[in-house]
Amino acid sequence: MYLAGEKTPYSDTWWRIIRMLTERHHWSWMDVRRRFTTPVGRWKPITGGQVELRKIAAIPVTRYRYRSTAIPNLWIPEHA
């Protein structure tokens, strides 16, 4: 669990990608800000073609629902 002010899985991934890009392309921090911020200073999402780094917290979590006897048993024939 992450508390306020701590790193989140999204921020860890974001920083890892930014570090990889700075090393690969020899970018300074100013180059990163120029490419990944809007003219008003908001950060753009990191994208690669059609793939976009999405915030993990924005993805809904669906839990397994217990179905008991609704799951068919393959070992017992239906017409017994």
Side-chain angles (χ1 to χ4, degrees), residues 51-79:
V51 180
E52 179 180 329
L53 179 64
R54 293 176 41 188
K55 289 195 177 198
I56 296 171
I59 300 171
V61 177
T62 55
R63 302 284 183 202
Y64 175 76
R65 193 178 56 129
Y66 181 70
R67 296 187 297 172
S68 183
T69 58
I71 301 173
N73 188 344
L74 300 176
W75 305 108
I76 300 175
E78 291 181 23
H79 304 290

Side-chain angles (χ1 to χ4, degrees), residues 1-2 6-15 53 56-57:
M1 173 163 235
Y2 290 92
E6 291 186 8
K7 287 186 174 182
T8 61
Y10 175 79
S11 68
D12 290 340
T13 308
W14 189 89
W15 276 107
L53 179 64
I56 296 171

Side-chain angles (χ1 to χ4, degrees), residues 14-15 18 22 27-35 43:
W14 189 89
W15 276 107
I18 291 296
T22 56
W27 289 346
S28 65
W29 183 246
M30 291 301 293
D31 296 325
V32 171
R33 288 191 60 199
R34 186 180 320 118
R35 285 173 172 83
W43 286 95

